[in-house]
Structures are given as C-alpha cells and as structure tokens.
Amino acid sequence: MSSNSELKILASKQEVQKLRLEEQEKQKLKEQHETSLKKLEKELVNEREYERSLNTEKKIRERKREVEDIREEVMLLKAKIASSQQESLTLEKSRLSREFHELEKELNLSRGRSDEVNKRVRELQRDLQLPQFKEAVRKYREKMLLIMCTRTACEDLNKYYKALDTAIMRFHAEKMTAINRIIHQLWNSTYKGNDIDKIEIKTDENESKGADKRRTYNYRVVMHKREVELDMRGRCSAGQKVLASLIIRMALAETFSKNCGILALDEPTTNLDRDNIRSLVRSLVGIVNQRSQQRNFQLIVITHDDEFLSGLAEVDQIQDYYNVRRDDRSVFNSPSNIVCMINSQLHSDLHIGFID
C-alpha cells in the first residue's frame, strides 16, 4: 500500500517536472514572439512615417504645379489687361487730371475767401474797440438775464394758470353738483306729472382752438325717465319749459346769490296747469320759510293769477301786497307805498305785488 503511494508521488513529480519544462519552453517562445512583435511594430511605424513623407512630397509637387498654372494664368491676364485697358486707363488719367485741376481751383477760391473772412474779422475786431461796442458783452449779459427771467416768469405764470384752471374746474364741478341737487329737490317737490322723473343741467366742456385756448362750457337741460336721459329741447311742453326755467333760476339763486336778498318772478304761472301751480306755490312757501331768518330777503312776484297769489297769502311772513290797476285811460294807478317800497332800504318784510 505504501509502495503504491510512493509510485504515485514519483509519477506526479515527474509530471510536474515535465510541465515545468514545457512552461519554460512556452515562456521562451513567448519572448521570441514578443521580440518579433516589437520589431514588426517598429517597422510599421517606419512605414507610416515613410508613407506620410511620400504624401507630403506629393502635395508639395501638386501645389507647385498649381502655382505654375496660376503664374501662367496671371501672365495671360496681365497680357490681356495691357492690351485691352490701355485706352480706358488713358481716359481715367484724363478724368483724374481734370478733377485735380478743379480741386486746385476750388482750393485757390477757398483761400481767397478765407483771406477775405480774416480781413473782415480784423475789421470787426477793430470795430469792437469803438466806444459804442465796448459795452456789448455787458449789454448782452443783461439782455440774456432779462430773457431768462422772462422765460422763468412765463413758466411760473403757466404753472399758476394750470393751478387756477384746475381750481376753477373743481369749483365749477362742485357748483354744478349743488345746482343739480337743488334742481332735483325742487322738481320732485313741484312737478306732479309722471312722465319726467327728474331734470338736471349737463355740461359739455370744449377747449377753444385760438391762441389763448380757453375752456368753454355748453350747458343743456336734460330730463330722466326710468334711467333714460333725453334733451328737453323739443321734447317737452310749454308748461314744462316754464317750470324747468323757474326751478333752474331758483337753484341758481340759491347757489350763487345767498347774500342777495331779492328773488323776482315775472308771470311764473304762464303755461302751468293747476297742479303744477299749486306745487310751485308750495316750493315758494318753502323757500320763504327757509329764508325767513335772512335780514335782507325780499320776494317780488308779478302775476295776474289770483289763485296763485291766494296760495302765497298762506305764508305768515308776507306782510304787504301791492295791487297795480289801469284806469279807463290805460294809465297805471300806483299807490304811494309802492314808490316807498322801491326806494327804501331792503328789510325783512316780504312784498308781493300783482298787476290786475
């Protein structure tokens, strides 16, 4: 059993030695192949460099041939130019020569004008030394200062104008709002119809095209019915016109003439029906009661309407009436107290007169 193991071990060792010998032979063969490969790679590099040098030589020869061809072509073109453009060059030379002479002539003229200008400058410089021109610089500065001050003043005036115009527009808008508010109140309290809800004054602003460019206002009276706005001109009756005129004038007096104590109405009931007359009476009574504390207030009514006058008689502040009649000779009989009323100083009494 041990002899068999020894034999196997011996055989294995021999096998290992054999393999080692083979490995050494393979290694030597590998080294030979690697040496051959390096030699071949070196030869390949040399061949590539040789090929590159050949290609470069080829390109150089091609470029030389191209250069020779271009030189031949240039020589041919020069010969053609020399033969074909000689006449045109002669013409161009003549043209340039003429231009040169013209420019030389202009130069001489310019030099002559320059000499004249210099001479004129010297003369003006001598003139500036004269007494009447010695203060020219100072006077110029004074005038420039005046111009600048005037320009600044104009700019300030323009700013003032714009500010004043803005203030006037604001004042106008406020007053128109107040007037329309009073018109609305008086119309609602006076007019008894149901075809017009309210009236107001509309303002159309225009700017004139003149030098001053002032603003102008076009006023028109409009009426409203169920939120529809229409111009009253040509769309309302005579009574509505009269009532609207009275209400607008009363609103204007209320807005602009609070310190003026006289409110005069001449035939205010013309073309008004009975309902609107009674409403007008109530409105006037309201104005009288509102102005009763004003010291210099007087209401003067000229009317032929006895019923209208009877309605006004209900006002407690009314103290005097004046009845003016005509006799058979159409002469007015004026009581003496009328003259006294006209000539006397305004006081708190309310005077109503009517013409029969």
Side-chain angles (χ1 to χ4, degrees):
M1 190 69 184
S2 60
S3 61
N4 289 332
S5 300
E6 292 175 355
L7 289 173
K8 287 182 180 179
I9 290 170
L10 182 61
S12 297
K13 288 180 178 180
Q14 290 176 355
E15 184 69 24
V16 169
Q17 289 178 356
K18 185 180 179 180
L19 290 172
R20 284 179 179 175
L21 291 172
E22 288 180 359
E23 182 182 2
Q24 291 176 357
E25 290 177 358
K26 295 292 184 181
Q27 185 67 29
K28 290 179 180 180
L29 184 61
K30 177 183 177 183
E31 291 176 356
Q32 291 176 0
H33 285 307
E34 286 178 353
T35 302
S36 299
L37 180 60
K38 290 180 180 179
K39 185 178 180 180
L40 290 173
E41 287 178 351
K42 185 176 181 181
E43 290 177 357
L44 180 60
V45 171
N46 292 332
E47 290 295 332
R48 286 179 178 174
E49 289 180 355
Y50 181 69
E51 182 182 4
R52 191 178 299 111
S53 64
L54 289 176
N55 289 330
T56 303
E57 183 66 23
K58 181 182 178 182
K59 290 181 180 179
I60 290 172
R61 291 181 179 180
E62 289 177 353
R63 294 295 182 270
K64 286 182 178 180
R65 285 196 299 269
E66 290 178 358
V67 170
E68 292 297 331
D69 294 339
I70 291 172
R71 284 178 179 174
E72 291 178 359
E73 187 176 355
V74 169
M75 294 299 293
L76 292 174
L77 291 174
K78 285 182 177 179
K80 289 182 180 179
I81 290 172
S83 61
S84 62
Q85 291 188 350
Q86 184 175 4
E87 184 178 357
S88 61
L89 290 174
T90 303
L91 295 175
E92 183 69 15
K93 180 181 178 182
S94 300
R95 185 182 66 80
L96 293 174
S97 179
R98 288 194 301 271
E99 290 182 357
F100 173 76
H101 291 301
E102 290 177 357
L103 291 173
E104 189 176 13
K105 182 179 178 181
E106 291 181 1
L107 176 61
N108 294 329
L109 291 175
S110 299
R111 287 176 179 173
R113 287 194 294 267
S114 177
D115 293 337
E116 292 178 359
V117 170
N118 292 330
K119 182 179 178 181
R120 180 59 179 165
V121 168
R122 289 192 295 270
E123 291 176 356
L124 292 175
Q125 288 177 349
R126 287 195 300 269
D127 292 341
L128 287 175
Q129 301 302 321
L130 297 176
Q132 62 268 30
F133 296 118
K134 282 186 177 181
E135 300 295 328
V137 176
R138 183 183 60 81
K139 293 179 180 179
Y140 173 77
R141 290 176 181 173
E142 291 178 355
K143 293 300 180 181
M144 282 301 300
L145 181 61
L146 179 61
I147 291 172
M148 293 177 66
C149 292
T150 304
R151 185 180 297 129
T152 304
C154 291
E155 293 175 356
D156 293 341
L157 287 174
N158 190 30
K159 293 178 182 178
Y160 171 74
Y161 168 75
K162 291 181 180 179
L164 180 62
D165 185 62
T166 302
I168 291 174
M169 290 177 62
R170 187 182 297 115
F171 175 79
H172 180 268
E174 292 175 356
K175 290 303 180 181
M176 288 307 302
T177 301
I179 291 171
N180 285 325
R181 183 176 64 253
I182 296 172
I183 289 174
H184 181 60
Q185 294 173 356
L186 292 176
W187 183 265
N188 288 338
S189 63
T190 304
Y191 186 65
K192 297 306 177 182
N194 56 2
D195 55 339
I196 299 176
D197 294 336
K198 67 176 182 177
I199 65 172
E200 64 177 353
I201 300 175
K202 283 288 185 179
T203 306
D204 297 327
E205 181 181 343
N206 296 322
E207 186 172 341
S208 64
K209 297 181 179 180
D212 53 356
K213 292 185 178 180
R214 296 179 180 176
R215 281 190 173 85
T216 58
Y217 297 93
N218 296 325
Y219 299 96
R220 54 192 178 91
V221 182
V222 298
M223 56 185 178
H224 292 263
K225 178 62 178 178
R226 296 174 183 174
E227 299 182 357
V228 178
E229 179 182 303
L230 294 172
D231 286 342
M232 289 193 72
R233 183 183 295 272
R235 292 187 176 92
C236 58
S237 63
Q240 290 171 341
K241 289 181 181 179
V242 172
L243 185 60
S245 176
L246 289 172
I247 288 175
I248 290 172
R249 295 187 183 190
M250 290 165 66
L252 291 173
E254 183 72 16
T255 304
F256 294 105
S257 303
K258 285 188 176 181
N259 295 324
C260 180
I262 297 178
L263 177 60
L265 301 178
D266 184 7
E267 299 292 350
T269 60
T270 303
N271 295 323
L272 293 182
D273 55 18
R274 291 292 98 188
D275 292 336
N276 286 324
I277 290 175
R278 286 190 288 270
S279 299
L280 179 60
V281 170
R282 285 192 294 270
S283 297
L284 290 175
V285 170
I287 291 175
V288 170
N289 292 330
Q290 184 179 1
R291 295 285 192 94
S292 61
Q293 301 301 322
Q294 186 173 340
R295 294 181 57 191
N296 61 344
F297 178 70
Q298 283 191 342
L299 174 63
I300 299 176
V301 180
I302 301 173
T303 181
H304 291 83
D305 194 334
D306 293 337
E307 183 179 354
F308 174 69
L309 189 62
S310 299
L312 289 178
E314 299 176 1
V315 182
D316 295 336
Q317 284 80 8
I318 298 178
Q319 298 179 2
D320 297 325
Y321 294 86
Y322 300 97
N323 187 359
V324 181
R325 298 177 181 274
R326 287 186 297 184
D327 56 14
D328 296 337
R329 294 175 299 173
S330 296
V331 177
F332 285 104
N333 294 323
S334 300
S336 58
N337 56 357
I338 286 186
V339 179
C340 295
M341 179 199 71
I342 295 175
N343 294 330
S344 63
Q345 185 177 3
L346 297 179
H347 53 84
S348 60
D349 296 339
L350 182 66
H351 302 283
I352 298 179
F354 67 96
I355 298 176
D356 190 8

